[in-house]
């Protein structure tokens, strides 16, 4: 790859020299004509020299313009060739069959956050078979593998491994064998695509202009696995990181993302309101926590409707409420909880402060006591996922070369959350959605549904996209070393 880069730089130098020379000629050849003198009034030899200078200046501009366009075209052609090569390799019957086998083995044995022992073991077994070195354990079950020279720049690709506490209701040969657990968010596919990228990259390890790190991360679903990977120093000195997430809302063969803020920051809260219980026929001798909780829940929505700029995206949603069970008894205590979200860290912290304040004050109005727990040790708030604009453009360009411009979409911001956001606070990041929607297969059910299903045609596409993004990043940054 460096030969091609060096060749382009040589041509660039030649064009630059010619351009500068022509501009000097244009400047020196131009006669000093008074401003009041028209070209018709010039002497014949002055007019000839003036025309020669104008032609030289025009040629200099065209040469400079051609230099940029030819360089860009050459780069695009090289990237397109790389993408086609990687995708063709991943779609070979033996390779594709291996991808499906890996994904199905993971899908059959889903494991919850920080319990991914079997999945981690499968990852390490496949890396061993490819001769790829790795560090393990990281954050309990995580794996970080390395391909390349070991020298900087270090570029990372990430996949999450954990499943969800959901009972799978899809009847097929490889249905989950673990009751109450399911890969209903596609993390089995994420892990498989990254292993596919590992296989593609291992065949090019001697030509890589730096080092590619493969991050197999535990505990994305609410457990902030990315935070724990960073806390253990597993991603120190990484320049940038790229991640993919399957999407049943995009057609298979397409991808999408956006520069800047993409996904919301999110946190959770649990409130307890303590009153004095009693018979429902005598509410005047009780202190009713249900009434206090109802007022608090209603007041929380005023934070969004009356305190938040209508053009700023924020959410507070109460997901559950628990009180008594008897029809004629006022309970002593009510519990309720939910989620709060914002596209900025400042917005998230502001919501957290007001949620606590509103619940406690509303409880006090009704003579109750309230406590609000944000469960930050067990349910660490996720910051917003923000794509670095340069990294976004890089991955977008790779996607367009691989899939075609019409299959790369600009997505709107959404209030979903992802712990990939922790990486975006430490390094340059790009996070893309990759389509799995296929109405014929039924792979159009939403995330976290017991009917979630996957179009496995996404597997070679994701593997090739991962590999192409990483290789082209190193090619583009190797000169900086």
């Amino acid at each position: 790859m460096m030969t091609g880069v060096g060749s382009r730089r040589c041509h660039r130098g030649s064009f630059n020299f010619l351009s500068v020379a022509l501009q000097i000629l244009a400047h020196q050849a131009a006669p000093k004509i008074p401003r009041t003198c028209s070209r018709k009034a010039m002497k014949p030899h002055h007019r000839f020299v003036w025309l020669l200078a104008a032609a030289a200046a025009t040629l200099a501009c065209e040469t400079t313009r051609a230099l940029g366009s030819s360089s860009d075209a050459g780069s695009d052609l090289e990237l397109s060739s790389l993408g086609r090569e990687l995708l063709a390799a991943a779609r070979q019957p033996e390779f594709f069959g291996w991808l499906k086998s890996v994904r199905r083995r993971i899908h059959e044995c889903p494991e919850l956050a920080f319990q991914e022992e079997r999945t981690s073991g499968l990852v390490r077994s496949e890396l061993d078979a490819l001769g790829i070195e790795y560090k393990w354990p990281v954050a309990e079950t995580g794996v970080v593998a390395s391909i390349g020279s070991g020298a900087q720049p270090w570029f990372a690709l990430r996949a999450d491994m954990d499943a969800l506490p959901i009972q799978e209701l899809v009847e097929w040969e490889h249905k989950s064998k673990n009751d109450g657990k399911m890969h209903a968010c596609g993390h089995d596919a994420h892990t498989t695509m990254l292993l596919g990228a590992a296989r593609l990259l291992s065949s090019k390890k001697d030509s890589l202009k730096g080092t590619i790190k493969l991050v197999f991360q535990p505990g994305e679903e609410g457990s902030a696995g990315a935070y724990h990977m960073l806390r253990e120093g597993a991603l120190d000195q990484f320049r940038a990181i790229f991640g993919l997430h399957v999407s049943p809302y995009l057609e298979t063969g397409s991808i999408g993302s956006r520069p800047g803020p993409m996904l919301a920051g999110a946190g959770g809260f649990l409130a307890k309101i303590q009153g004095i219980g009693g018979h429902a026929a005598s509410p005047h001798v009780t202190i009713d926590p249900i009434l206090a909780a109802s007022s608090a829940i209603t007041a929380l929505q005023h934070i969004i409707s009356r305190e938040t700029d209508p053009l700023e995206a924020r959410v507070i949603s109460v997901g559950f409420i628990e009180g008594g069970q008897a029809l004629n008894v006022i309970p002593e205590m009510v519990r309720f909880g939910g989620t709060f979200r914002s596209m900025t860290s400042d917005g998230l912290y502001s919501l957290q402060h007001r949620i606590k304040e509103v619940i406690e004050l509303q409880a006090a109005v009704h003579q109750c006591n309230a406590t609000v727990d944000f469960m930050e040790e067990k349910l660490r708030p996720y910051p917003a996922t923000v794509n670095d604009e340069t990294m976004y453009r890089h991955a977008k360009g790779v996607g367009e070369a691989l899939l075609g411009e019409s299959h790369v979409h600009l997505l709107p911001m959404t209030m979903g959350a992802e712990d990939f956001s922790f990486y975006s606070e430490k390094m340059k990041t790009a996070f893309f959605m990759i389509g799995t929607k296929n109405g014929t297969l039924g792979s159009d059910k939403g995330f976290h549904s017991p009917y979630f299903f996957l179009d496995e045609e996404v597997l070679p596409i994701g593997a090739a996209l991962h590999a192409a993004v990483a290789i082209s990043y190193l090619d583009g940054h190797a000169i900086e070393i």
Side-chain angles (χ1 to χ4, degrees):
M1 292 295 184
M2 281 298 291
T3 301
V5 173
S7 175
R8 290 200 303 274
R9 292 187 71 192
C10 179
H11 292 316
R12 181 183 290 272
S14 299
F15 278 124
N16 280 343
F17 176 79
L18 177 60
S19 177
V20 172
L22 288 171
Q23 291 181 56
I24 292 173
L25 173 62
H27 176 75
Q28 292 184 344
K32 302 299 186 286
I33 305 295
R35 291 184 180 180
T36 56
C37 180
S38 67
R39 274 181 285 171
K40 290 182 178 180
M42 295 182 193
K43 294 180 180 179
H45 70 279
H46 277 174
R47 190 180 309 153
F48 173 76
V49 173
W50 188 92
L51 290 172
L52 178 62
T58 301
L59 182 57
C61 292
E62 292 300 322
T63 301
T64 302
R65 188 179 298 112
L67 168 63
S69 62
S70 64
S71 175
D72 291 343
S75 177
D76 291 345
L77 183 62
E78 185 177 322
L79 185 56
S80 180
S81 176
L82 171 66
R84 287 197 303 270
E85 174 194 345
L86 293 168
L87 185 55
R91 281 176 167 165
Q92 288 294 316
E94 185 277 330
F95 198 123
F96 191 15
W98 170 76
L99 286 172
K100 288 188 286 188
S101 173
V102 169
R103 184 255 162 172
R104 291 170 182 180
R105 281 183 283 157
I106 297 172
H107 187 86
E108 288 177 352
C109 300
E111 299 166 300
L112 303 182
F114 298 113
Q115 301 173 20
E116 308 94 334
E117 299 290 349
R118 187 185 182 101
T119 306
S120 178
L122 184 151
V123 167
R124 299 195 308 276
S125 177
E126 295 296 340
L127 293 174
D128 286 336
L130 294 169
I132 296 174
E133 296 182 353
Y134 56 83
K135 180 181 179 182
W136 168 84
V138 182
E140 298 188 32
T141 56
V143 180
V144 178
S146 297
I147 302 175
S149 64
Q152 287 283 358
W154 290 1
F155 181 82
L157 301 169
R158 172 267 199 171
D160 39 15
M161 302 187 293
D162 57 323
L164 287 158
I166 295 174
Q167 181 67 45
E168 182 169 7
L169 298 180
V170 181
E171 296 298 333
W172 69 303
E173 184 181 356
H174 300 284
K175 181 179 179 179
S176 169
K177 296 177 180 178
N178 295 343
D179 286 344
K181 299 175 185 178
M182 178 189 176
H183 274 292
C185 202
H187 297 189
D188 52 342
H190 302 167
T191 302
T192 302
M193 291 188 292
L194 190 51
L195 283 172
R199 181 168 168 176
L200 292 171
L201 292 166
S202 65
S203 66
K204 296 180 174 293
K205 61 183 178 182
D206 294 331
S207 62
L208 296 176
K209 309 304 178 184
T211 306
I212 297 171
K213 299 284 189 175
L214 310 177
V215 178
F216 296 90
Q217 177 208 303
E220 187 279 327
E221 295 289 356
S223 297
Y227 168 82
H228 294 284
M229 297 285 281
L230 289 165
R231 188 178 66 174
E232 293 192 14
L235 281 75
D236 289 352
Q237 301 182 56
F238 286 21
R239 293 275 190 91
I241 189 168
F242 174 73
L244 284 174
H245 198 298
V246 297
S247 172
Y249 310 115
L250 292 174
E251 298 290 337
T252 303
S254 62
I255 62 173
S257 186
R258 66 178 299 106
M262 179 182 177
L263 299 171
F269 67 93
L270 176 63
K272 295 180 182 179
I273 296 184
Q274 183 72 44
I276 297 176
H279 200 288
S282 304
H284 60 288
V285 297
T286 71
I287 297 180
D288 190 348
I290 289 182
L291 184 60
S294 300
S295 295
I297 291 170
T298 301
L300 288 176
Q301 296 309 312
H302 296 168
I303 298 173
I304 304 300
S305 66
R306 288 298 177 265
E307 297 180 19
T308 300
D309 185 334
L311 301 180
E312 184 178 346
R314 294 187 184 183
V315 167
I316 299 175
S317 293
V318 174
F320 83 94
I321 180 168
E322 295 176 350
Q325 295 186 358
L327 298 178
N328 61 348
V329 176
I330 293 174
E332 290 191 358
M333 184 182 72
V334 172
R335 297 170 67 248
F336 65 91
T339 182
F340 57 100
R341 297 169 185 245
S342 171
M343 296 304 297
T344 68
S345 294
D346 287 345
L348 199 66
Y349 297 139
S350 174
L351 287 178
Q352 182 173 339
H353 171 74
R354 286 293 288 143
I355 287 169
K356 178 178 172 63
E357 193 171 53
V358 165
I359 293 174
E360 290 178 345
L361 290 175
Q362 285 295 320
V365 166
H366 293 85
Q367 303 180 69
C368 292
N369 295 315
T371 60
V372 183
D373 182 6
F374 293 99
M375 304 169 287
E376 292 182 327
E377 288 304 313
K378 292 184 178 180
L379 194 65
R380 181 172 295 277
Y382 287 9
T385 300
V386 181
N387 281 328
D388 174 78
E389 295 202 10
T390 301
M391 268 294 295
Y392 165 79
R393 287 196 301 271
H394 170 68
K396 176 176 178 285
V398 174
E400 290 173 344
L402 184 69
L403 303 171
E405 290 187 22
S406 63
H407 296 287
V408 179
H409 305 288
L410 178 66
L411 300 182
M413 293 185 293
T414 68
M415 301 308 287
E418 237 281 349
D419 77 347
F420 192 82
S421 56
F422 287 102
Y423 301 131
S424 69
E425 291 190 322
K426 300 295 183 181
M427 65 193 78
K428 294 182 178 180
T429 57
F431 190 67
F432 272 66
M433 310 302 288
I434 183 166
T436 60
K437 183 178 181 180
N438 184 326
T440 303
L441 290 177
S443 60
D444 53 358
K445 306 301 186 293
F447 298 123
H448 297 202
S449 164
Y451 296 100
F452 184 86
F453 196 65
L454 192 84
D455 182 0
E456 292 181 323
E457 293 293 330
V458 73
L459 300 177
I461 299 172
L465 181 60
H466 267 310
V469 167
I471 292 171
S472 55
Y473 178 91
L474 294 187
D475 286 346
H477 291 76
I479 299 172
E480 298 177 3
I481 300 175

